[in-house]
Amino acid sequence: PARADSLDAAKHDDNRWPRQNSLSMKEWDIPYDELKLFEVIGTGRFGTVYRGSWHGAVAVKLLHVQALSDHAKPLDTFKHEVATFRKTRHENLVLFMGACMKPPRLAIVTSLCKGMTLHTHIHLRKDKFNANKSVLVAQQISQGRAARTSFSPLCRPTPAPLYRAGEDSVTRCLSVMQVVGPCARSARIATTILLANFAVKQQCLHCCVSAWRGMGYLHARGIVHKDLKTKNIFLENGKVVITDFGLFSVTKLCFGNNARGDSLGIPPGWLCYLAPELVRALRPHASLHLPFSKATDVYAFGTVWYELLCGDYPFKGQPPEAVIWQVGRGVKQALTNMHASKDIKDILMVCWAYRPQERPDFASLLATLEKLPRKRLARSPSHPVHLSRSADS
Ligand code: ATP
């Protein structure tokens, strides 16, 4: 029966939820009572994140939801976003494990990131990323090249149970596969992957081995991050892990930004990631309807690149009105005092291009990053490359 169930699930196209995919949706619905919540890790605009336990260590983001009686539509939005998360499985993305979808307790459960965010490294600890290290981080954020995973095309059927208790490594879970029949989508061999001890997913082996990395992977799957920033990028022993992707619309369910922002609902540290077309669309209390796109993610990546290289935010210290006026008119942060090669500055310039269509995609960004000659990355001695404390290596 388990095999029949999984084959049945394979027939359902993920994108059709919630119309027809409620069966598969249940696999991702975590009863709130099954979660153990420990200490608060931090509180953001839309929720509070706890260290928790659910078949192992997890992070639980408990959303600050408004009364939901008249919010059937936003609740659907939340479920749609959950449907989006479950399509993501990648070593440079936080592992989505499930969600509590019964109001008033809405929560998102993901793997617990070790390490620290780039924001903590750069802005709080003042760690310095030398140019080579910045490139390595940027490549992992952007990489759009097909990368082989550890899956073997010759993987043999393995008997159930596929998952051994105590394993919490995604890689180990993913390496346990069972061949069950043809993939519903591409008629290639399909595999059943037991992921993190709770969900069986149909996955075409071909899709697995051609997995995309980081933002390139998200964009290849049609997912716009909408909130790419150093606070949402963890560094775990040199490995980049991106969090909070596609979550922005969840805010329709949440208390407004104003508690921690200004009259336009702009929280501190957010504006410098917004592309000109987003800045021009800013209206009081209307940040939910901004025209996010893959190109706005690329603009935000440009800001992350700037922070890595300069250790600061662009337009640092300027009031929001001044930043809005400049960005909205295509004025960019001046780079005259930045001691970096032209190639490096060019990346900033193309990511921050005024017209969205002039910004590169992540695949071509990666190609550019890979072409940067190592020797030209070196900065002048006046730039703080050799500092006492270096970032996570
Ligand atoms: P904002 O909501 O404005 O984007 P934020 O990113 O700090 O700000 P949250 O995403 O709610 O807000 O995160 C709150 C805290 O929890 C942050 O310190 C963040 O680094 C941490 N955090 C979020 N997700 C995880 C995770 N999967 N593992 C470990 N810590 C996490």
Side-chain angles (χ1 to χ4, degrees), residues 41-42 44-45 47 49 59 61 110-113 117 229 232 234 244:
I41 300 176
R45 277 170 292 169
V49 178
K61 185 171 204 162
T110 63
S111 56
L112 185 69
C113 296
T117 62
K229 56 184 183 180
N232 288 336
F234 278 82
D244 263 3

Side-chain angles (χ1 to χ4, degrees), residues 219-289:
H219 282 187
R221 313 216 93 192
I223 299 168
V224 175
H225 190 299
K226 299 181 185 169
D227 202 15
L228 183 65
K229 56 184 183 180
T230 46
K231 275 188 177 179
N232 288 336
I233 301 171
F234 278 82
L235 205 52
E236 294 182 341
N237 291 323
K239 189 179 88 171
V240 162
V241 179
I242 301 171
T243 64
D244 263 3
F245 37 88
L247 250 182
F248 202 80
S249 317
V250 161
T251 57
K252 284 178 186 158
L253 289 168
C254 301
F255 294 116
N257 292 330
N258 270 356
R260 293 172 63 202
D262 59 15
S263 59
L264 274 177
I266 300 170
W270 184 52
L271 202 50
C272 60
Y273 296 100
L274 297 189
E277 63 272 24
L278 297 178
V279 164
R280 293 174 78 97
L282 281 175
R283 303 280 180 278
H285 316 296
S287 58
L288 303 175
H289 307 289

Side-chain angles (χ1 to χ4, degrees), residues 89-90 95 111 168-175 194-196:
R89 189 187 305 116
H90 189 272
L95 178 67
S111 56
D168 66 352
S169 150
V170 181
T171 321
R172 285 188 69 186
C173 293
L174 287 177
S175 69
L194 193 70
L195 183 63

